[in-house]
Amino acid sequence: MIHKTYSIQNTKYNILALTGGAAAAEALRQMEPDVMAVYPITPQTPIIETFAKMKADGKVETEIIQVESEHSAMSAVVGAQAAGARTVTATSSQGLALMHEILYIAAGLRLPSLMYVSSRALSAPLNIHGEHGDVMAVRDSGWVQIFSENAQQAYDLGFIGLKLAEKTRYPVIAVMDGFHTSHTTERVEVLEDADAKEFVGEYSPEKYLLNLEDPISLGALALQNTYFEFKLDQEKGFSKIKNEYKKICSEFRKTSGRSYKLFDSYKLDDAKEAIVILGSTAGTAREVVDKLRDEGRKVGLLSIHLFRPFPYKEVGKELAHIKKIAVLDRAMSVGAYPPLYTEIVNSIYHATSRKIDIASYIYGLGGRDTFQKDIEKVFKDLEEGEISEKIKYLK
Amino acid sequence: MKNKNSFEIIFFARGGQGAKTASELLAHAAVREGKFVKAFPHFGPERSGAPTKMFLRISDDEIRTQEPIVDPDVVVVMDETVMDNEDTTKNLDRNEFLIINSKHPKEEIRKKAPDFKGAIHAVDGTGIALELTGNPNPNSVLVGKLVQVTGVVSLDGVTDIFREYFTPKLGKELTEKNIAAIHAGHDSL
């Protein structure tokens, strides 16, 4: 990784060639958390490896806790965050699965940690490559989930994620596609350290375990008489995240010049047919949209950033005028429709009484490459009305 | 389409030959020149000696597509035995280039790629690297050759980045030897 500040046309930029993993590490360096729990797993390892080197080189003060498993990593996150420290970690696949039990605890205790996930397939059979099966398996854990399309977004959405977590007191997962983003070297524009630090600010929790002036207890037992209310409170607070996210995105735009929304609409305004997607393949789909637009087709794309909480109303409104939609999932819900498709059907059902033809496609499992011609095939199916309740597979 | 001017290179090599380093070096140099890049390996099993593939896109505009390169402008072959099993010149047209680490005459190389009608640029990367650096990895020489043939980034840009990136890792002496290998590739006939 190469760091260099230089000027183009008298404007000072920090433009680097970074992999998504290195970009995440760079974001974490600038956030300078108090504690980072680390346990290696492909394709996340470049994040903690790069960060550990920064620590060794004296570029961050963060206390790195090396643990013996991801279950321990997430437990360390819970402990440190509860004590009052700004805490982060990163994982993938089996690691995220091993954290599962503790994810619910972090969320239920309202501990606002940031976790980068470089998403990857789950065993069996063993596969180390990219897909969204791991993050989808924890979508109901109470963590906010934000998806990125490339290294720049992985960097940016980490900042937005940390601030969102600390503002709302819900933990946040910032997702990048394993390998396709985490291991691809791209041009990334990074913030000046001072601007980055000003954006995230100091972390000063209102309540924390090591505050002897104002002692609290965490992790109380809540049985039939109160557990239900705790969960309702958790849900109530979660529903406010969308607005906070929008505010923080607008602050981030002031700092960085780059703007983010709940989702990114691409040429949807006059589109008759559209694809809805998450993650890095959105970039490939944009190329296809432009190509088909050049041929006179009215096509568009919706790339979702905020997946949890899911912005049903906004997505429904955005898609209500589209005639035919294909939802592309990079995950399988064995025995059921895949996750994104289900959310889009729900969004549309509540947004319009008009019948919209909507098809489900599953692509890219276990790192299978997705080409522009595959996306073109989806648009061709839509054009020809090849739409049914049957799930199709882009193999 | 926005990205018609994206310049696309595929590197064919064997694990350990430094194809990843070569493509990332070029990517860094291109970014330093204000360009956009995507450099990524074919995400297959990686082990020393196994055939590997690296993809590199360089463009003046944002690069959005994430698909592997299917229609390259240039192919760099770091180990010519890879040509026995892989269709390295697939979709490589008459006006495009094959750059290859080989000491064999072009006619012989062309026999391995009978359908390719474009120019072949061969350089004995392994031999030159051995002589100048004491190490057979041909990547430095081939990076120099690629810059000579395509001009996709400037020679100074590449050597500056190499010096910055590798001096702390390799030490000054070996770094300068590799830079000499880049120059040798660039100046080769």
Side-chain angles (χ1 to χ4, degrees):
Chain A
M1 192 178 42
I2 294 169
H3 288 256
K4 176 95 176 174
T5 307
Y6 56 101
S7 300
I8 297 171
Q9 290 171 351
N10 297 325
T11 313
K12 202 175 174 208
Y13 286 112
N14 286 309
I15 296 171
L16 311 172
L18 298 174
T19 61
E26 176 66 3
L28 294 172
R29 180 189 68 76
Q30 294 179 314
M31 293 170 197
E32 196 153 21
D34 300 308
V35 174
M36 179 163 180
V38 300
Y39 192 80
I41 182 167
T42 301
Q44 169 281 122
T45 309
I47 303 174
I48 60 162
E49 207 172 66
T50 311
F51 192 84
K53 185 169 188 316
M54 290 164 169
K55 165 80 176 171
D57 291 345
K59 290 178 183 162
V60 278
E61 297 283 318
T62 303
E63 180 153 347
I64 292 181
I65 307 181
Q66 292 188 25
V67 289
E68 70 281 12
S69 75
E70 288 87 353
H71 189 278
S72 302
M74 188 42 64
S75 300
V77 164
V78 165
Q81 190 82 54
R86 173 179 282 168
T87 308
V88 300
T89 189
T91 196
S92 292
S93 183
Q94 307 304 119
L96 187 58
L98 189 54
M99 286 178 178
H100 196 100
E101 177 190 5
I102 315 298
L103 292 177
Y104 281 75
I105 295 173
L109 294 179
R110 303 287 301 268
L111 299 173
S113 305
L114 172 71
M115 172 159 59
Y116 268 112
V117 172
S118 177
S119 65
R120 162 188 150 179
L122 288 162
S123 287
L126 178 61
N127 180 300
I128 61 162
H129 292 285
E131 68 159 68
H132 298 146
D134 53 359
V135 268
M136 288 304 164
V138 301
R139 66 191 187 275
D140 296 336
S141 63
W143 283 62
V144 176
Q145 293 187 331
I146 311 173
F147 280 77
S148 58
E149 287 183 25
N150 50 41
Q152 181 74 63
Q153 292 188 5
Y155 172 84
D156 291 343
L157 291 168
F159 283 100
I160 289 169
L162 181 81
K163 193 156 185 167
L164 181 63
E166 292 178 359
K167 191 88 199 212
T168 62
R169 290 193 289 128
Y170 285 92
V172 172
I173 292 174
V175 186
M176 72 179 81
D177 282 11
F179 287 102
H180 280 117
T181 300
S182 66
H183 286 61
T184 296
T185 300
E186 294 181 75
R187 178 191 201 270
V188 178
E189 205 174 311
V190 303
L191 301 171
E192 291 288 336
D193 281 4
D195 292 342
K197 288 190 192 310
E198 197 191 321
F199 177 78
V200 295
E202 290 281 317
Y203 177 53
S204 47
E206 203 182 317
K207 306 261 182 200
Y208 56 100
L209 221 44
L210 293 187
N211 183 359
L212 301 179
E213 305 295 313
D214 180 17
I216 54 165
S217 75
L218 275 178
L221 180 71
L223 297 178
Q224 299 92 322
N225 56 345
T226 51
Y227 181 87
F228 207 146
E229 281 69 29
F230 268 104
K231 295 324 269 185
L232 289 176
D233 279 351
Q234 196 181 346
E235 174 63 31
K236 196 171 153 195
F238 213 65
S239 66
K240 293 180 182 151
I241 286 171
K242 259 187 327 195
N243 284 335
E244 238 8 279
Y245 171 85
K246 285 194 241 176
K247 274 189 223 161
I248 291 168
C249 285
S250 117
E251 285 170 42
F252 188 74
R253 186 168 49 80
K254 282 178 204 141
T255 299
S256 69
R258 294 182 290 277
S259 76
Y260 290 93
K261 294 178 181 164
L262 298 167
F263 41 72
D264 187 57
S265 292
Y266 191 64
K267 304 196 174 173
L268 269 186
D269 284 352
D270 63 343
K272 292 193 165 63
E273 292 146 11
I275 282 178
V276 185
I277 199 162
L278 288 164
S280 66
T281 311
T284 311
R286 277 171 217 274
E287 288 295 331
V288 175
V289 166
D290 282 2
K291 191 175 165 192
L292 297 179
R293 283 263 167 187
D294 284 349
E295 294 167 13
R297 296 271 307 274
K298 297 265 196 248
V299 294
L301 178 82
L302 190 72
S303 168
I304 308 278
H305 288 308
L306 190 69
F307 185 74
R308 279 293 181 274
F310 196 84
Y312 293 101
K313 221 169 102 186
E314 293 83 352
V315 168
K317 203 171 151 213
E318 200 69 14
L319 293 173
H321 68 286
I322 310 285
K323 292 196 164 55
K324 298 168 184 174
I325 295 169
V327 183
L328 271 59
D329 273 273
R330 202 176 179 189
M332 189 179 254
S333 291
V334 177
Y337 283 114
L340 182 59
Y341 173 81
T342 307
E343 306 303 11
I344 299 304
V345 170
N346 267 312
S347 304
I348 289 168
Y349 179 81
H350 295 290
T352 173
S353 53
R354 195 167 61 77
K355 167 108 172 85
I356 296 179
D357 288 327
I358 174 162
S360 172
Y361 289 81
I362 290 176
Y363 72 98
L365 297 187
R368 182 73 53 92
D369 285 323
T370 302
F371 292 90
Q372 292 183 26
K373 64 177 167 52
D374 300 314
I375 310 280
E376 283 175 41
K377 169 79 171 63
V378 172
F379 276 123
K380 191 162 191 287
D381 285 354
L382 292 184
E383 186 184 26
E384 291 173 355
E386 294 272 337
I387 300 168
S388 73
E389 74 289 350
K390 220 174 132 196
I391 300 168
K392 289 184 183 171
Y393 301 94
L394 298 177
K395 293 181 288 185
Chain B
M1 209 164 47
K2 206 180 168 193
N3 264 310
K4 260 180 189 156
N5 54 354
S6 174
F7 192 76
E8 302 188 314
I9 307 168
I10 306 180
F11 295 82
F12 290 91
R14 290 192 183 276
Q17 284 191 306
K20 185 166 185 284
T21 306
S23 69
E24 288 189 350
L25 188 64
L26 292 160
H28 281 109
V31 166
R32 189 66 64 85
E33 290 176 12
K35 296 190 164 110
F36 289 83
V37 298
K38 272 192 199 272
F40 55 104
H42 172 67
F43 303 120
E46 234 176 83
R47 38 186 214 282
S48 193
T52 59
K53 225 194 279 189
M54 277 296 304
F55 302 105
L56 173 61
R57 289 191 170 94
I58 299 177
S59 172
D60 290 333
D61 300 314
E62 187 190 359
I63 301 168
R64 302 175 298 177
T65 194
Q66 195 58 54
E67 68 174 1
I69 293 170
V70 285
D71 187 3
D73 297 292
V74 176
V75 165
V76 179
V77 174
M78 292 203 176
D79 182 327
E80 59 187 326
T81 64
V82 173
M83 293 181 84
D84 300 336
N85 305 317
E86 293 249 17
D87 187 1
T88 51
T89 54
K90 190 178 177 188
N91 293 334
L92 205 57
D93 300 334
R94 186 176 290 274
N95 55 349
E96 295 169 337
F97 310 107
L98 170 65
I99 295 170
I100 183 164
N101 171 28
S102 173
K103 50 185 175 188
H104 295 118
K106 283 178 194 170
E107 305 74 59
E108 229 172 279
I109 296 164
R110 200 171 284 285
K111 279 184 206 156
K112 288 189 175 187
D115 297 333
F116 175 55
K117 305 291 178 227
I120 294 175
H121 296 272
V123 61
D124 180 14
T126 308
I128 295 172
L130 256 178
E131 190 190 315
L132 295 179
T133 70
N135 181 317
N137 282 355
N139 54 356
S140 302
V141 179
L142 285 161
V143 163
K145 190 72 184 172
L146 181 80
V147 172
Q148 178 210 56
V149 173
T150 65
V152 64
V153 289
S154 76
L155 184 64
D156 286 349
V158 169
T159 52
D160 284 354
I161 291 276
F162 192 92
R163 194 168 281 122
E164 229 172 272
Y165 194 36
F166 283 99
T167 304
K169 287 184 180 177
L170 302 178
K172 196 166 185 310
E173 198 190 333
L174 195 51
T175 301
E176 293 306 322
K177 282 180 177 173
N178 272 284
I179 287 173
I182 295 175
H183 279 285
H186 183 262
D187 298 341
S188 67
L189 294 175

